[in-house]
Amino acid sequence: MPDITRRSVLTLGAALGLAGAASPSAAWSWSPAGSVLGTGSGVDPQWVWDDDIDRIMAGIIDGGQVPAVNYAMRNWVYNHQSVPSGLPSELRTFLQGTNKLPDWADIWKLRRAADFNRRKDTYLFLIYGIGGGIMSTVIPREARSVYWSKGGADMQDRAAKTFSFGYDLSDIDAFEWTGEFLVTSNRTRMVHAAVRHMLPQSPHWQASGHDEQIPISNHDILVTFHSTGTFAHKKLKDWKVPMSTRDEEAFLHSWQVALHMLGVRDEYIPATWDDAHAQADQILTPKLAWTPEGQELAEVLLGLTAQVDLGVTRGFLNEFVRYQLGNEVGDWLGLERDRASEVIIREGWPLYVAFRESLIPIMPANFYLFDQFVRALAMAFLNKGTSPTTTMITIPDMNRPTT
């Protein structure tokens, strides 16, 4: 299947609700004046990684210390816990410096964001799980990196760990001492560093047609943010979910802190939603395309809910993907049409949202169908349907096993 053309970029930009779609070859031009820092070098973030932790994790992997590191971190879960003493000294020192909020974090905004996430969790489950999750399979760099890394061989476990990041970020205690997000983000940052060291050694990744020498740059992390956080903001607006200005600002602030915790330089972190959408217009939509790796990952992800049968059909799931991402993405992935489900979603979802938000007085006929759908999705992604909350993120020690 060919890469997307400029015409399809523009079509896809409209389907995803983005203001405009830049040329696929557009150079980085987003101004650091629109960042939380307000200034910066202007260097393209695709050439920026996470140098200190990258060097540390490379040494740990080459020294065969991954099992010992994972063992030392086995009980490291909550924000209030000290960095484990059993870690290699250089890694422990690094984590002691990063296992805290940035100076510019506003705890009151973060608490408001936690309450907002609690109130809007139904929509966010669907946007992150179906919208962002399936969109990730048509982000070529991300799809290839995921597929050829260790996590690509067990997508249910990998999806559970990815879901854990979002769950911990959205939890009511996310940034409190009793929460888990500081630890989760540092574990994720270590995983990224491990993948950056190991994946370039994979001949399969090297031969996959990617356009980078080292994966998971600051640019790539920003793209993932836009396929989740920025996309969620746009969809909530499209679905007419009531949000106050303070709610929107708080929601963005939680993502700003999350990006910082993942090692993204402050000069690249958008200061406002307008800045975020402008950045997404440049680096998200023009990058979307079909890949064989993405096709396979999408099929695995879409098959997860079939293991938790709550009356949700695959046709209904396919149509909800199309409802969020547009028919172009649905056609790329070969999602079979289900016209009856298409009508139910197109006509029923706006009523479902309106009833949940007390905008209409009468419960719509398909209210429970959508509720079951959300429950099936959550159960499918949370540790193979067994965990009520989270899945431990561990450091990989190899790339995707091949036969």
Side-chain angles (χ1 to χ4, degrees), residues 278-313:
Q279 191 182 85
D281 288 345
Q282 181 176 128
I283 69 173
L284 174 61
T285 311
K287 305 295 184 181
L288 300 181
W290 180 90
T291 62
E293 293 91 348
Q295 176 80 60
E296 186 170 335
L297 293 177
E299 190 59 33
V300 172
L301 289 173
L302 290 170
L304 292 180
T305 54
Q307 301 176 32
V308 186
D309 185 6
L310 293 176
V312 178
T313 69

Side-chain angles (χ1 to χ4, degrees), residues 29-64:
S29 61
W30 190 81
S31 171
S35 71
V36 295
L37 191 62
T39 187
S41 64
V43 172
D44 190 330
Q46 72 175 322
W47 304 111
V48 176
W49 292 274
D50 202 353
D51 296 343
D52 289 339
I53 190 61
D54 287 353
R55 176 180 52 78
I56 293 169
M57 292 307 301
I60 287 172
I61 292 166
D62 292 344

Side-chain angles (χ1 to χ4, degrees), residues 27-36 39 42-43 45 222 226 265-272 274-283:
W28 172 257
S29 61
W30 190 81
S31 171
S35 71
V36 295
T39 187
V43 172
L222 287 166
H226 292 308
R265 293 183 185 177
D266 290 351
E267 68 176 275
Y268 302 127
I269 301 174
T272 68
D274 285 344
D275 294 316
H277 287 289
Q279 191 182 85
D281 288 345
Q282 181 176 128
I283 69 173

Side-chain angles (χ1 to χ4, degrees), residues 2-40:
D3 288 345
I4 51 177
T5 62
R6 176 169 174 78
R7 177 181 177 278
S8 62
V9 168
L10 296 172
T11 303
L12 187 58
L16 296 181
L18 299 173
S23 165
S25 61
W28 172 257
S29 61
W30 190 81
S31 171
S35 71
V36 295
L37 191 62
T39 187

Side-chain angles (χ1 to χ4, degrees), residues 123-322:
Y123 317 122
L124 294 174
F125 264 134
L126 292 181
I127 295 170
Y128 293 158
I130 295 179
I134 300 304
M135 195 190 303
S136 72
T137 69
V138 292
I139 299 172
R141 286 183 176 180
E142 184 167 351
R144 288 171 173 136
S145 293
V146 168
Y147 186 87
W148 291 114
S149 62
K150 184 178 181 180
D154 186 350
M155 277 304 293
Q156 190 156 29
D157 180 70
R158 202 268 182 184
K161 290 174 179 176
T162 302
F163 203 92
S164 290
F165 180 91
Y167 185 96
D168 292 345
L169 173 60
S170 302
D171 188 56
I172 193 68
D173 291 335
F175 297 97
E176 308 292 340
W177 283 115
T178 51
E180 302 178 20
F181 184 70
L182 299 185
V183 174
T184 296
S185 59
N186 272 291
R187 284 176 175 270
T188 303
R189 191 170 179 177
M190 294 164 65
V191 170
H192 286 171
V195 172
R196 278 191 288 265
H197 179 63
M198 290 187 296
L199 202 56
Q201 302 174 39
S202 165
H204 305 285
W205 181 75
Q206 290 285 2
S208 66
H210 62 86
D211 60 349
E212 55 186 352
Q213 295 181 335
I214 303 173
I216 319 180
S217 65
N218 270 203
H219 175 282
D220 296 334
I221 297 173
L222 287 166
V223 168
T224 300
F225 156 60
H226 292 308
S227 71
T228 50
T230 306
F231 182 66
H233 178 254
K234 185 66 178 74
K235 282 301 170 185
L236 291 173
K237 290 279 195 179
D238 288 346
W239 294 345
K240 297 180 172 56
V241 176
M243 296 184 290
S244 69
T245 300
R246 291 179 65 192
D247 281 344
E248 292 184 61
E249 291 174 351
F251 181 52
L252 174 60
H253 192 60
S254 67
W255 276 104
Q256 291 169 334
V257 172
L259 288 169
H260 175 92
M261 295 296 296
L262 289 177
V264 174
R265 293 183 185 177
D266 290 351
E267 68 176 275
Y268 302 127
I269 301 174
T272 68
W273 279 121
D274 285 344
D275 294 316
H277 287 289
Q279 191 182 85
D281 288 345
Q282 181 176 128
I283 69 173
L284 174 61
T285 311
K287 305 295 184 181
L288 300 181
W290 180 90
T291 62
E293 293 91 348
Q295 176 80 60
E296 186 170 335
L297 293 177
E299 190 59 33
V300 172
L301 289 173
L302 290 170
L304 292 180
T305 54
Q307 301 176 32
V308 186
D309 185 6
L310 293 176
V312 178
T313 69
R314 174 59 191 269
F316 189 89
L317 181 59
N318 286 352
E319 290 300 331
F320 216 102
V321 171
R322 289 177 177 271

